Amino acid sequence: MNEPIDDDTQYEDAREQDDTVIGVVFRRSVLIILVAVLLAGVVFGVRYLLESAPAPEVVQARVDLDSLLAPAATPEPPLGVFTDVTAAAGIDFVHESGAFGERLLPETMGGGVAFIDYDGNGTQDLLFVSSARWPFDPDGAESASATLRLYHNDGHGNFHEVTDAVGLGGLDDYGMGVAVGDYDGNGRTDIFITAVGENRLYRNEGGRFADVTAAAGVGGGQDTWSTGAAFFDANNNGYLDLFVVNYVQWSREIDIQVDYRLTGVGRAYGPPTNFAGTRSYLYINNGDGTFTEQGVEAGLNIVHPTTGEPIGKGLALIPVDLDGDGHIDVMVANDTVRNFVFHNRGDGTFDEVGTDWGLGFDRNGHATGAMGIDFANHTNAAPLAIAIGNFANEMSSFYVSQGDTTQYADQTILEGIGAATRSALTFGVFFFDYDLDGRLDYLQANGHVENEINRVQASQQYRQPGQLFWNCATECPGTFLEVPASRIGALATPMVGRGAAYADIDGNGRLDVVLTQIGGPALLLRNDLESAGNWLRVRLRGKGPNTDAIGARLVLEAGGVTQYRTVMPTRGYLSQVELPVTFGLGDTESIDRLTVAWPDGSEQVISGLTVNTAHDIAQR
């Protein structure tokens, strides 16, 4: 998070506008010169014909300057027909922030959500993470709230709550985020919950969950504030390890002492600038149901060169093989300090290379108020893109690899999302193909942290609409084009947006969306776009112990287009998307081949797949 826009930021805006004007004038000048040269050539040709030809003819040259100078037509993006089905589908979750007047920083930052097939029946169920009433709230004891709410999906997009029935009820921790994965290799997806205070691990025992936090050794500190988390194989031994991001050193006493204030408001929700930093946890899976925390030994303790104190202020992470060496790296989105990139040496230890690889700062060399993060091969080619949602008055960051897989550049403006994301305060972000045309689109969940912000910044609102960007490839000046709010249905509902995730909740191939908000109800959005293209869905079944095949790489060749996906449920902000991957196919009606690079390094080529079908593929 950052403070309100300052003169430097306004100066950057003015400079960008000046650059734009200069660019337009330059391009028009070049066109006029070219036209003049063309006319001169025509005149010279006419003179030559008149002087040398035996029967000269009159030649007239007409050049339409308006057509030459007119900008190229921009296509209209497909409708984003997102219908609010929250109540109709049976979802009644309301997030509890615990706010009661003291304006404590954690009250602005929760809202994790996950799509998870907890009973293995092939349908995507929904798990919500709430915060809680504070124990020091005078009315807290009378209004305790449940941390977790699990809803079972009947396969048609209808849900009913099963929290207590599956053993997840009764918890009143101050929850933050969620990670899912089969850590013990029994073929069932387990759940890890982050919190302000002790974290929780729930083992899936076949339709019911058991709290195994203490036995597994993953609770963390009682005074720690954990945020994003992910299961993946860090040391390449087949078992899923657990990476947990921590935010800042926080307590009620520290928060009151920091005493952030806004003119005209008084005590307010402030940035983490005056809170001390932290380091992340890395829990290495011992293969017997227990973990050993090795964050310091693994190289995750990034410290200030002078004080020696940790500087991380992480909110979200993506495990992704950034340089293609076969080892999963981790990028952490840090709030107001540089982002971290932990390059995996292949043995579960890491080098921090964020600044060296161009991913530490934005295009102006500044640290941002980074919230959610996701990655994708957004052009159906080798370059990898990483998107980060930032604070208000900061564009979202959009890093693209530059040929060399260890060099990235922030191309937010060139990619077409710069100006449109400037005013939003963005938390949840993810790539998905909403219209199934074979190109990955981009979504943002927005909402401010200060409920009185409009009193001090007229341009800002507490509740903000979501945003959808259509991937128009080479048809637009940039790769992405914002779909107008009038064309995205209920996604444009103003809310205090935080977590965001996607899944096909009703089996029709179209990806539906869930959004959470601080202190308010969730929003389940069904994708009702009837003109969506053909599709292919794939659920991988890996050999144990990584039965969910987390980290597997899929390459689909169909209709002359190559698409790339990675099985990685950790996306966006504190949230998890479904494990099956979806490929949009547009008008393509046949598949050439699907190549799966499994997490253990083996490769499998599958042919004969039918379109508009969900396929289960087991590792040979």
Side-chain angles (χ1 to χ4, degrees), residues 458-474:
S459 62
Q460 284 295 317
Q461 300 294 330
Y462 184 48
R463 292 176 174 80
Q464 301 178 4
Q467 291 177 288
L468 179 65
F469 293 84
W470 176 55
N471 188 333
C472 51
T474 58

Side-chain angles (χ1 to χ4, degrees), residues 200-213:
R200 303 280 181 176
L201 177 63
Y202 290 93
R203 182 177 186 267
N204 189 335
E205 298 183 336
R208 284 190 60 85
F209 290 88
D211 185 342
V212 295
T213 308

Side-chain angles (χ1 to χ4, degrees), residues 8 26 59 86 115-116 227 413 563:
D8 290 339
F26 176 75
V59 178
T86 314
F115 280 108
I116 173 176
T227 50
I413 296 175
Q563 298 186 53

Side-chain angles (χ1 to χ4, degrees), residues 473-497:
T474 58
E475 300 177 35
C476 302
T479 306
F480 293 92
L481 180 66
E482 184 179 17
V483 186
S486 61
R487 295 174 59 85
I488 60 176
L491 180 57
T493 303
M495 62 187 303
V496 193

Side-chain angles (χ1 to χ4, degrees), residues 277-308:
T278 61
R279 70 164 177 90
S280 296
Y281 296 142
L282 178 62
Y283 294 100
I284 295 298
N285 193 330
N286 298 320
D288 58 1
T290 68
F291 293 80
T292 301
E293 203 286 300
Q294 297 183 359
V296 173
E297 296 84 346
L300 306 187
N301 189 28
I302 309 305
V303 301
H304 191 281
T306 302
T307 66

Side-chain angles (χ1 to χ4, degrees), residues 397-526:
S397 299
F398 201 99
Y399 302 95
V400 180
S401 62
Q402 303 296 300
D404 181 344
T405 55
T406 64
Q407 289 300 310
Y408 287 76
D410 186 353
Q411 298 182 178
T412 304
I413 296 175
L414 291 176
E415 293 291 337
I417 69 169
T421 62
R422 180 69 187 236
S423 62
L425 200 167
T426 302
F427 279 83
V429 301
F430 58 68
F431 293 96
F432 75 137
D433 188 353
Y434 82 92
D435 59 343
L436 300 176
D437 65 352
R439 301 190 296 260
L440 287 169
D441 311 300
Y442 175 67
L443 180 146
Q444 295 196 157
N446 305 319
H448 213 282
V449 299
E450 173 54 58
N451 56 334
E452 299 286 350
I453 189 61
N454 188 246
R455 293 176 55 185
V456 294
Q457 290 190 47
S459 62
Q460 284 295 317
Q461 300 294 330
Y462 184 48
R463 292 176 174 80
Q464 301 178 4
Q467 291 177 288
L468 179 65
F469 293 84
W470 176 55
N471 188 333
C472 51
T474 58
E475 300 177 35
C476 302
T479 306
F480 293 92
L481 180 66
E482 184 179 17
V483 186
S486 61
R487 295 174 59 85
I488 60 176
L491 180 57
T493 303
M495 62 187 303
V496 193
R498 293 297 185 264
Y502 63 79
D504 177 10
I505 65 172
D506 48 13
N508 64 3
R510 296 190 290 265
L511 293 175
D512 311 295
V513 173
V514 65
L515 306 175
T516 66
Q517 64 175 326
I518 290 294
L523 194 64
L524 181 61
L525 304 176
R526 188 179 63 210

